[in-house]
Structure formats: C-alpha cells, structure tokens
Amino acid sequence: NAGVTQTPKFRILKIGQSMTLQCAQDMNHNYMYWYRQDPGMGLKLIYYSVGAGITDKGEVPNGYNVSRSTTEDFPLRLELAAPSQTSVYFCASSYPQDTSYNEQFFGPGTRLTVL
Amino acid sequence: ELKVEQNPLFLSMQEGKNYTIYCNYSTTSDRLYWYRQDPGKSLESLFVLLSNGAVKQEGRLMASLDTKARLSTLHITAAVHDLSATYFCAVDIDNDMRFGAGTRLTVKP
C-alpha cells in the first residue's frame, strides 16, 4: 500500500490565485482529514470527512473548500490565496471501526507559500 | 472550546536521563493520541489511549491517560539521541481533532 499520498510537495502561489491540494489513500479508510501546520506550531484541523459525500468544518475552515466524491480522494481547494495561508498542509486518514479508533495516518505534506 | 496544552514546549535532555511531557485538555474525552514528528517530516503515530487509566509502552516511551484529571503524560526513560523529535498529543472530540503545540525534545550526549 502507498498509504496516504499528497501532491504537490511544494507550491508557490501569488496572492489571489487558486489551487487544489490533492490527497489520496489506498487503505480503504472512511475518515479523512486536512490540517495545516504553521512554523513551530501544532496542527489545526481545516476540514474532515467521515465518508464519501460527507464533509464537516474543523477549527480553521475559512478560505478553504473540500469535496469527497470517493472513499479514496479528499482534495482541498484554496480560493483567492492569501499570505496567511502560507503553511504546511497535511492530509490524514483513519478507520475508526478498528480497535485503535481514530489513530490517524498522515501523508508527507504539501509546503505552500503565498507571495 | 476544546483546548489542548502541552508542557514543556522545549526540552533539552542529556542521554540517560528521565523526563515527562504533560498534555492537559479542557473538555471531557477518553480518546487521546501521541504522535512524533521529525524535522521536515510528517507525523507518525506513537500511542492510542482510549480509556481512563490506559497505559501504553514502547521502548523508552510510556504514555498514560487520566480522563478525570484531563491529563496525559509521555514519560521518557533513559533518553537516547534517537528520541530527539517533536512530540504532539491530540484529543478527539467527536472526530474534531485538536493538537497540542508540541514539545520539541533534544537529547544531547
């Protein structure tokens, strides 16, 4: 299994541009998450999904959108990028039905800079 | 609002010493997770604690959970350089995951 994969690894955007961060998992996990990690800080939850067609806001959803049309994919859309969105973005997945409940498996991250 | 506080935020230890990292949270939960992050890398799951009194051990690390005190600890025994990393606790409230700010551990010879 490839686990959780994210593309791209790095991206530089200009203010006002839009982009989609891709996340895919091949573990048949039904829960997927998007986080951002600012330098020297912990992770903050942006959006999460408990299954295809179901998404919910996390702690910091403003400026982002998500969709979940399949179990495998959970893209994160940035509209009108702002410098405050400069961060490292991590996608994660989990399978709460097993005994480790919501233990999350993380992708390698996307480092985004908005100039 | 759920808040998760870790302390210390920075910890410099000598090899062979013991120390404890603390994770306090503000809302009732019986699901707590510990993760490790190496510089420039992703997060790796260390422990899953799912009930009051839960204790898990892996090598030189031991994690425990006291849901009544809303406190989890990560104890390091006889630290070695390979344990240098940032350690995060995370609390799960109905799938809303909140992470602590992390404890950056440096183990020196």
Side-chain angles (χ1 to χ4, degrees):
Chain A
N1 288 347
V4 180
T5 57
Q6 292 182 238
T7 56
K9 291 185 178 178
F10 302 94
R11 183 72 185 269
I12 298 175
L13 282 181
K14 293 183 179 179
I15 294 172
Q17 287 186 318
S18 301
M19 76 164 295
T20 299
L21 282 65
Q22 301 291 344
C23 175
Q25 53 88 15
D26 62 358
M27 298 176 283
N28 202 31
H29 286 176
N30 49 341
Y31 284 31
M32 295 187 74
Y33 295 76
W34 273 107
Y35 296 92
R36 59 177 287 173
Q37 184 179 32
D38 297 329
M41 303 293 287
L43 279 70
K44 293 193 174 181
L45 181 63
I46 305 172
Y47 272 95
Y48 65 97
S49 169
V50 300
I54 305 169
T55 63
D56 213 339
K57 295 178 180 179
E59 187 180 4
V60 289
N62 291 346
Y64 307 95
N65 278 301
V66 293
S67 59
R68 183 100 180 267
S69 56
T70 67
T71 299
E72 294 78 19
D73 301 296
F74 190 39
L76 177 71
R77 177 83 177 162
L78 278 73
E79 307 281 2
L80 300 174
S84 61
Q85 294 178 304
T86 294
S87 191
V88 179
Y89 292 82
F90 287 102
C91 178
S93 70
S94 65
Y95 188 68
Q97 289 87 336
D98 71 20
T99 56
S100 64
Y101 201 70
N102 211 355
E103 178 188 27
Q104 301 196 349
F105 297 84
F106 284 82
T110 294
R111 188 175 297 270
L112 176 67
T113 302
V114 182
L115 299 174
Chain B
E1 181 188 349
L2 174 60
K3 292 188 177 179
V4 181
E5 294 182 344
Q6 282 183 242
N7 69 83
L9 296 182
F10 298 92
L11 177 57
S12 181
M13 300 175 61
Q14 281 193 309
E15 281 192 330
K17 297 293 186 181
N18 304 334
Y19 208 83
T20 300
I21 298 170
Y22 297 88
C23 175
N24 292 89
Y25 54 97
S26 60
T27 303
T28 301
S29 173
D30 56 3
R31 298 195 289 268
L32 190 133
Y33 309 83
W34 284 95
Y35 294 88
R36 169 181 171 145
Q37 186 179 37
D38 291 307
K41 303 292 186 181
S42 188
L43 280 77
E44 172 191 356
S45 176
L46 291 175
F47 298 109
V48 177
L49 303 169
L50 299 177
S51 61
N52 186 41
V55 177
K56 297 275 185 77
Q57 184 163 4
E58 180 73 33
R60 301 174 187 275
L61 300 178
M62 183 173 71
S64 66
L65 178 62
D66 181 344
T67 59
K68 293 179 181 178
R70 300 178 185 172
L71 170 69
S72 180
T73 61
L74 180 66
H75 187 72
I76 303 155
T77 302
V80 293
H81 179 70
D82 285 351
L83 290 180
S84 296
T86 299
Y87 294 85
F88 294 97
C89 63
V91 178
D92 179 357
I93 301 289
D94 295 331
N95 306 312
D96 185 348
M97 299 290 284
R98 298 295 174 97
F99 281 74
T103 296
R104 186 174 298 180
L105 172 65
T106 303
V107 181
K108 299 181 177 180

